[in-house]
Amino acid sequence: ETGVTQSPTHLIKTRGQQVTLRCSSQSGHNTVSWYQQALGQGPQFIFQYYREEENGRGNFPPRFSGLQFPNYSSELNVNALELDDSALYLCASSRDYNSPLHFGNGTRLTVT
Amino acid sequence: AQSVTQLDSQVPVFEEAPVELRCNYSSSVSVYLFWYVQYPNQGLQLLLKYLSGSTLVKGINGFEAEFNKSQTSFHLRKPSVHISDTAEYFCAVSGAGTYKYIFGTGTRLKVLA
């Protein structure tokens, strides 16, 4: 079975721009969670999508938004990028909202 | 709400020596506990998890952890480490049944030859 895949692997954006990160969940998984990992820190929960609906959100501003598609893949959108948004963004999928997470390798976003 | 404290930011240890990476948590509800490993420029790989049942949990690569409810701890141990174990290790907690993880700040394990 294929694991969680994220694209792109690396991205450089300018402050104020908008970015879209993509995630394909593992086969058979209907739940996707997004995490932000700043350099030298542990991952922080951004939000979770279960069957195309947001199912919980961490302490992130509204300019962080997401979407889950009928095939359970997902996007993370960040508007009005700030320098502090530079981080590794991790996507994780699970069989349902009540199952352990399987992480992808992440997208490294650099905001200059 | 839950929180996790990893008491050591870095742990150097010689090859074939035992190691313990410490993790303490706080929560007002029942919890699930996890240990993940992260190699450079990679995502997180699950080492082991505690959901319920036996408090001694065995994981991959020879790692194990013990859930201690009275001390609110979930320390990770390995009896004999290898150079290839050099990585960042993260402890995580979630409320039982939620799977919205709260991660610690990580412990960098450096295995020395």
Side-chain angles (χ1 to χ4, degrees):
Chain A
E1 63 182 10
T2 56
V4 178
T5 58
Q6 293 186 242
S7 63
T9 55
H10 295 84
L11 200 53
I12 300 175
K13 289 286 189 179
T14 302
R15 188 172 48 184
Q17 287 187 315
Q18 177 266 344
V19 69
T20 298
L21 311 182
R22 295 178 173 82
C23 172
S24 293
S25 56
Q26 189 167 319
S27 177
H29 289 188
N30 60 23
T31 301
V32 171
S33 303
W34 286 92
Y35 287 79
Q36 180 196 65
Q37 185 179 17
L39 198 62
Q41 301 294 319
Q44 292 198 348
F45 175 69
I46 303 175
F47 42 57
Q48 182 185 82
Y49 280 83
Y50 169 63
R51 293 188 173 181
E52 304 179 59
E53 297 289 329
E54 188 177 288
N55 184 41
R57 187 181 181 93
N59 189 26
F60 280 81
R63 58 190 185 84
F64 285 78
S65 63
L67 201 58
Q68 187 180 30
F69 300 99
N71 66 355
Y72 302 130
S73 66
S74 178
E75 287 181 354
L76 164 65
N77 298 290
V78 187
N79 293 322
L81 284 167
E82 301 176 359
L83 297 179
D84 285 348
D85 295 333
S86 295
L88 180 68
Y89 287 85
L90 295 165
C91 171
S93 72
S94 52
R95 194 166 300 279
D96 57 45
Y97 66 88
N98 198 32
S99 301
L101 304 183
H102 299 258
F103 284 84
N105 284 336
T107 293
R108 172 76 61 189
L109 172 65
T110 302
V111 182
T112 62
Chain B
Q2 295 84 38
S3 67
V4 174
T5 301
Q6 291 186 244
L7 298 166
D8 306 297
S9 59
Q10 293 189 66
V11 174
V13 62
F14 285 104
E15 194 174 18
E16 297 183 9
V19 70
E20 179 179 81
L21 305 184
R22 297 180 293 170
C23 173
N24 286 87
Y25 70 93
S26 67
S27 177
S28 57
V29 299
S30 296
V31 296
Y32 293 162
L33 292 157
F34 309 85
W35 275 99
Y36 281 85
V37 61
Q38 186 175 39
Y39 298 101
N41 300 315
Q42 294 190 22
L44 301 173
Q45 180 182 7
L46 180 66
L47 282 176
L48 47 80
K49 61 183 183 288
Y50 171 79
L51 305 181
S52 64
S54 173
T55 57
L56 183 61
V57 180
K58 293 190 182 297
I60 63 171
N61 301 340
F63 285 95
E64 65 179 32
E66 186 156 19
F67 171 55
N68 188 320
K69 189 174 182 179
S70 62
Q71 297 188 8
T72 61
S73 67
F74 191 56
H75 301 334
L76 180 71
R77 296 190 289 260
K78 186 170 182 177
S80 176
V81 295
H82 303 286
I83 296 288
S84 60
D85 292 323
T86 295
E88 189 90 21
Y89 291 79
F90 292 96
C91 180
V93 64
S94 71
T98 66
Y99 288 99
K100 298 180 181 68
Y101 296 0
I102 304 297
F103 283 88
T105 52
T107 296
R108 185 173 298 276
L109 174 64
K110 186 169 177 60
V111 181
L112 309 169

